[in-house]
Amino acid sequence: MTRFSASPHPLMGRRALLKAVLAGAGIAAVPGLAACGSGDGGGGATDTVSFGNNQSDQVPKDAITAVLKSFEGESGLKVAINTKQHEQYQEQINNYLQGKPDDVLSWFAGYRMRFFAEKGLTGDLSDVWSKVSAGYEPGLKEASTASDGKQYLIPFVQYPWGMFYLKSVWQQRGYTVPKTLDEMVALSTRMKADGLAPIAFAQKQGWPGMGTFDQLNFRINGYQFHVDLMAGKEDWQGPKVREVFDTWKRLLPFHQENALGREWQEAAQSLQQGKSGMFLLGTFVAQQFKGQEEDLDFFPYPEINPEHGQDTVEAPIDGYMMSRKPSNPEGAAKLLEFMSTPAAQLAYIKADPSQIAASNKADTSGYNSLQKKAAQVIKEAAHITQFLDRDTDPRFASDAATNGINAFIQNPDDIDSILKGMADQAKTIFTE
Amino acid sequence: MKSRVSLSPASPPPVSSPRVSLPRIALHAFLIVTCLVTLAPLVWALYASLRTYDDTARNGYFSVAESLTLDNYSNAWTQADLPHYYLNTLLVTLPALVLVLLFSSMVAFGVSRFSFKFNLVLLMLFTAGNLLPQQVIVTPLWRLYLLTPLPEWLSDSGVLLDSQVGLVLIHVGFQSGFCVFVLSNYMKTIPHELSEAARVDGAGVFRQYWQVILPLCRPALAALATLEFTWIYNDFLWALVLIQTGDKMPITSALQNLKGTFFVDNNLVAAGSLLVALPTLVVFFVLQRQFIGGLTLGSTKG
Amino acid sequence: MTALQSPPKPAGTTDPSPSPRRGRRRATALAPRDKLVLGLMLGIPSLVHLVLVWVPAMGSIALSFSSWDGIGGFEDIEWVGFQNYVDIFTRYPRFWPAVQHNLIWLLFLIVVPTVAGLLLAVLLDRQLRFGRLYQSALYLPMVLSLALVGFIWQLIYQPEQGLLNNVLGTASTDPVNWLGDPDINLYAVLVAAGWRHTGYIMLLYLAGLKAVDPALKEAAALDGANARQTFFQVTFPVLKPVNVVVLVVTVIEGLRAFDIVYVINKGRNGLELLSVLVTDNIIGESSRIGWGSALAVILLLISLGFIITYLFQVFREEERA
């Protein structure tokens, strides 16, 4: 039971229910369920805010629960948490927002937020933003703003993507951080000679490969092209995308083989065991390196096109939205305001030190070295992207993009037909 | 009558007494090997579930366990809040089971014991409905559920969507196809004179059904109950689409909670999986005698 | 209850009441009250079934001619005719592989577990020490959910850590990527699906075999038929109705296959199935209801082929009766 609102202890009631059902009362006994499953259920109660939570892993779940507890103490309101498994939450989001969503709910910044905001499925947060905007950098405000100029998301935490490596391994072998693609190729060649898989790679879950595509794309073609391509305004069969895949193909021999059968956790383990040299992922990779965080370091993806240098960093933002018709609007606004405070964000990342607070007022002195680096990389970047599956139409990301990248990894020689397939689907999706 | 529907032949045919002969040994050897191969995956999962994360992370899964422990089971039990979800499942599965057997036996009774215009059409409708892929139904069903209001005391969401009533209903509607098909086949083998006699005695239609036919269907009902229990219990898709509150999810979907997004402990998931499978295993082994008897489906003897 | 005590008349003896024919139920004139009761007994379940199964199925067919993201009311739906179907057939790279995989899936399930299940059933259909123990072991997998089966087999198929490669001795040298290699993963998953399905088929045949009159077999044996001849000439024909049930169950299982690949890799990279494509498009984060419904209708049409064949069979049985 993740709801901690006081409800009559269910056990006795349950037993009675059980009896009733067993006695063959059948459907008549079902209504009791509602009472048992959902505490006081929100309804019209003005002292309760319902909260849709997608942090289902034990550690972050406990952390978010603690944050909401402190909100309860501060505001005198009650929070009813509805936790769903992380992936399940995303799969259901569409139906969830149209059905009976919770007042405040977890989501991501970028196109993925705009899509639902523009459909009128989530609530306007401009009022809340007018109170909290001093706490956010302009880039975060932009990432929370839909095309109508209003804000629909309160950023909570953020994490950058980068090339991860173990300092001890690199020191021992005398590797240095590559600044350009040529340097990375040279380094990879050396690693290969040393018997390492230069770049750890895993694509079984379908999304890590999107990260590689993004990095190559904005390093080669720049930030604006990334944005336009994701918005369906550029051609997937054009020479610019083609160059991205050609570059990737050149780098593929330096990537771990069999990526399609490997989960990223396994790739991280190979980095941990010194079997591979570097690994492109978000800082959440640190969760696999418990106790080793100080040895783990990362660098931004090397420069490819001098025109764009390393000016863009991929740093997805997680935050909270409000449903379109919250049963407790004032309470929801209060809770969202609370979630924008450094205190709430820092309390949360204490339990999950692989992320950093979204607020620029957060005190970074308590950060570990990885978090400090993450904060610095984000601060120095001229442009921030969210991630392929957060920057484009979800219909395109989950099907055409994922499967196109998979097909490329499997048959790098088929670039032409793969890109044609992606372009065709982009056309049907973005004109729909 | 009794002997016809009971499972064990009254006297086993006097086949050659099981002497120890070469073919016999070969047969047993073959069966033992097949059984072992069949059980191997489960045993492997069981083995993994008894080991610690540290052990398998260091030594790999293909190694001798450093120690065996039940910790994963207690962790899975509390971490995934299994008792809560067992109850959720129970409260969906039992009503659905009772209703589906009741409904489909009524329809089977009607179509197999009476002759009327739409007799065959009705039977075909149910049988074909049972063959439809779930995915064909799911989108409009979701809409239907969203638009169907329910009183607050029946569903706290106020509509069929996100209510266990809705889940029960779709199980009943969807599964009744198969049950009607099986039960009507079964009921056809029951001599017509039986209900005729009851009718002459002044029994109405419902009494013929409830007091004459239904008791005779007990083996088929038991077999169906076992099958339907596992099917409804194991359902994944309906709940995924029609339930939106994490706390209301049945156990098969709740198992997902054990699988971390960023950190996966397979040993823990293995323990959780086996715990989730336990009720179906128990039901099956308790009812297996009735099961095989009932599954003759009344269709082979004509 | 009195009816039960009076011995039922053995079939075949002449019926005292002036009834037209055996088999066909006489058109009894029912009392109005009985008519009402019967109407309710048939009507309520039929209504539930129709409203929850057939009406939505028809709805999907209608939606397959639309372009709709699933958001908003019905007035937001744009109708596009056969466009979805045209696009699916011509420019959806996952479609044809999925059709192919579905057919392989069906074919595999119809052949392998059926033959294996029948063989095991025949072997077990005799007085056998430990017979029940064998049976229990063999059908144990069938009570597990497909999602669970998917998980368990992942433990076996993992390239470096899995049981299979370690047993084969290839784990450390050149591990076979059972679930990651799109050339073999479909078959690897089919083994897992077949593992679960075989027990079920065995059970169905076992139940069927129990109903074969032992006297028939004895008679055949007396005539000098050997075991194989007895099986093919006496037993197998009697099993015909069971074969129909087996076929139906297998087709349902084959076309509904979804959970297992979804658990393994969301049905990608060699594991595409129509059910997965439908699900991806209609219940994922991204809803393309029209597109997904069109895929669902294609799946429906394939099922319909089997449904009609099957109903035809039932029909004929009915007429013979």
Side-chain angles (χ1 to χ4, degrees), chain B residues 1 57 111 116 284:
Chain B
M1 188 59 222
V111 296
F116 52 96
F284 226 81

Side-chain angles (χ1 to χ4, degrees), chain C residues 302-314:
Chain C
I302 299 177
S303 330
L304 221 53
F306 289 94
I307 294 177
I308 289 170
T309 317
Y310 166 71
L311 287 180
F312 186 69
Q313 182 81 20
V314 172

Side-chain angles (χ1 to χ4, degrees), chain B:
Chain B
M1 188 59 222
K2 270 273 136 68
S3 71
R4 177 181 196 138
V5 280
S6 76
L7 47 141
S8 52
S11 56
V15 251
S16 55
S17 58
R19 253 176 292 110
V20 185
S21 63
L22 203 57
R24 275 274 145 168
I25 293 173
L27 176 64
H28 278 281
F30 175 76
L31 286 172
I32 288 171
V33 170
T34 314
C35 287
L36 288 180
V37 170
T38 306
L39 292 179
L42 276 173
V43 174
W44 183 246
L46 184 69
Y47 181 53
S49 73
L50 294 171
R51 305 179 65 179
T52 63
Y53 179 76
D54 285 340
D55 178 9
T56 47
R58 235 177 311 117
N59 304 320
Y61 283 89
F62 198 71
S63 59
V64 178
E66 286 172 348
S67 63
L68 295 179
T69 163
L70 289 174
D71 285 354
N72 287 322
Y73 286 89
S74 57
N75 286 346
W77 185 263
T78 49
Q79 208 175 332
D81 200 8
L82 288 186
H84 173 78
Y85 292 103
Y86 274 132
L87 185 74
N88 279 355
T89 292
L90 190 74
L91 291 175
V92 170
T93 309
L94 281 188
L97 195 60
V98 170
L99 281 179
V100 80
L101 291 180
L102 182 72
F103 278 14
S104 48
S105 60
M106 292 197 301
V107 175
F109 172 74
V111 296
S112 66
R113 315 292 296 179
F114 295 90
S115 129
F116 52 96
K117 221 190 265 171
F118 305 111
N119 197 316
L120 207 57
V121 177
L122 207 57
L123 183 60
M124 279 167 67
L125 194 76
F126 274 93
T127 325
N130 139 65
L131 295 172
L132 293 176
Q134 281 170 299
Q135 281 88 354
V136 178
I137 302 169
V138 95
T139 317
L141 188 70
W142 185 88
R143 288 271 142 195
L144 188 71
Y145 272 32
L146 180 66
L147 297 175
T148 310
L150 276 192
E152 194 82 10
W153 59 269
L154 206 56
S155 151
D156 66 347
S157 64
V159 287
L160 259 181
L161 190 70
D162 198 28
S163 76
Q164 273 122 328
V165 182
L167 214 48
V168 169
L169 278 179
I170 185 58
H171 280 305
V172 172
F174 193 66
Q175 296 293 347
S176 55
F178 183 76
C179 295
V180 166
F181 161 65
V182 170
L183 284 173
S184 67
N185 270 347
Y186 198 90
M187 287 183 188
K188 273 178 209 155
T189 66
I190 298 173
H192 211 68
E193 291 77 3
L194 275 181
S195 35
E196 192 61 23
R199 203 179 66 86
V200 171
D201 280 357
V205 167
F206 191 77
R207 261 186 68 197
Q208 293 174 32
Y209 157 75
W210 190 252
Q211 293 186 343
V212 180
I213 301 299
L214 215 50
L216 292 173
C217 289
R218 215 172 282 154
L221 287 172
L224 276 177
T226 327
L227 262 186
E228 289 295 338
F229 178 83
T230 56
W231 285 345
I232 298 174
Y233 185 97
N234 286 337
D235 163 67
F236 184 71
L237 189 70
W238 295 134
L240 186 71
V241 180
L242 301 176
I243 296 291
Q244 302 195 327
T245 308
D247 277 352
K248 291 185 196 165
M249 285 280 180
I251 198 158
T252 312
S253 316
L255 184 64
Q256 296 258 347
N257 286 333
L258 275 184
K259 259 190 124 172
T261 322
F262 295 126
F263 175 77
V264 180
D265 178 351
N266 275 332
N267 307 0
L268 181 69
V269 185
S273 306
L274 292 173
L275 281 176
V276 170
L278 205 60
T280 48
L281 291 173
V282 169
V283 165
F284 226 81
F285 286 102
V286 170
L287 288 178
Q288 70 162 302
R289 211 170 263 275
Q290 282 82 344
F291 186 73
I292 299 198
L295 251 192
T296 44
L297 307 178
S299 57
T300 34
K301 265 188 184 163

Side-chain angles (χ1 to χ4, degrees), chain A residues 136-401:
Chain A
Y136 291 111
E137 297 289 333
L140 274 93
K141 182 163 187 179
E142 195 193 332
S144 313
T145 306
S147 59
D148 59 1
K150 291 176 184 159
Q151 288 76 38
Y152 290 89
L153 181 106
I154 296 292
F156 190 59
V157 292
Q158 191 174 19
Y159 61 89
W161 278 61
M163 275 289 201
F164 285 82
Y165 63 97
L166 284 185
K167 285 188 267 193
S168 57
V169 173
W170 280 36
Q171 236 156 36
Q172 189 195 335
R173 295 193 182 261
Y175 301 149
T176 50
V177 169
K179 289 267 186 289
T180 64
L181 188 68
D182 291 340
E183 283 177 34
M184 189 164 84
V185 169
L187 175 66
S188 298
T189 315
R190 220 180 117 194
M191 285 175 170
K192 230 179 174 175
D194 291 344
L196 269 66
I199 304 173
F201 193 34
Q203 174 66 0
K204 186 168 169 203
Q205 285 113 326
W207 49 264
M210 293 176 174
T212 308
F213 175 83
D214 280 352
Q215 299 287 344
L216 291 171
N217 187 30
F218 54 64
R219 287 284 180 267
I220 294 173
N221 300 314
Y223 170 77
Q224 196 54 46
F225 183 79
H226 168 86
V227 171
D228 293 341
L229 182 68
M230 294 297 124
K233 291 180 200 156
E234 292 281 353
D235 186 4
W236 279 85
Q237 273 183 288
K240 288 190 158 183
V241 176
R242 174 78 210 209
E243 196 191 339
V244 172
F245 278 96
D246 282 337
T247 314
W248 195 351
K249 189 177 159 188
R250 193 153 65 90
L251 293 174
L252 219 44
F254 300 120
H255 285 72
Q256 239 174 347
E257 277 178 56
N258 286 336
L260 290 166
R262 189 179 299 110
E263 307 204 343
W264 72 256
Q265 288 89 344
E266 297 169 67
Q269 276 166 21
S270 76
L271 192 70
Q272 204 166 11
Q273 295 157 353
K275 289 180 185 163
S276 58
M278 46 195 159
F279 186 26
L280 175 68
L281 212 72
T283 46
F284 55 81
V285 71
Q287 296 190 4
Q288 285 285 315
F289 291 78
K290 284 262 151 18
Q292 250 181 308
E293 286 98 341
E294 292 301 314
D295 192 18
L296 190 69
D297 199 357
F298 73 96
F299 58 89
Y301 208 82
E303 169 189 316
I304 301 177
N305 179 348
E307 192 189 324
H308 303 297
Q310 292 177 314
D311 65 354
T312 305
V313 63
E314 191 135 82
I317 300 161
D318 291 359
Y320 295 97
M321 304 196 294
M322 185 175 74
S323 59
R324 59 177 158 174
K325 282 185 210 136
S327 55
N328 182 357
E330 289 99 58
K334 259 190 203 155
L335 177 54
L336 284 162
E337 203 178 325
F338 177 79
M339 296 310 261
S340 78
T341 60
Q345 297 172 7
L346 289 173
Y348 173 75
I349 60 172
K350 214 180 211 165
D352 181 5
S354 65
Q355 321 217 28
I356 61 169
S359 169
N360 61 7
K361 297 231 168 74
D363 173 18
T364 57
S365 62
Y367 281 4
N368 63 27
S369 59
L370 212 59
Q371 286 172 309
K372 282 184 178 140
K373 179 107 174 221
Q376 178 205 343
V377 164
I378 291 176
K379 209 169 179 182
E380 283 170 5
H383 307 290
I384 290 176
T385 57
Q386 291 302 305
F387 195 66
L388 195 151
D389 68 7
R390 298 181 181 203
D391 276 337
T392 190
D393 191 312
R395 293 171 294 179
F396 182 75
S398 65
D399 198 329

Side-chain angles (χ1 to χ4, degrees), chain A residues 23-86:
Chain A
I27 202 160
V30 174
L33 290 179
C36 132
S38 57
D40 41 9
T46 48
D47 60 339
T48 304
V49 184
S50 58
F51 182 88
N53 173 35
N54 68 348
Q55 296 291 357
S56 53
D57 290 17
Q58 198 63 40
V59 174
K61 188 167 102 186
D62 292 346
I64 203 78
T65 306
V67 170
L68 294 170
K69 267 244 159 80
S70 67
F71 170 72
E72 285 185 318
E74 213 169 89
S75 65
L77 294 169
K78 270 188 275 178
V79 182
I81 308 182
N82 170 20
T83 301
K84 261 183 290 185
Q85 203 271 341
H86 194 80

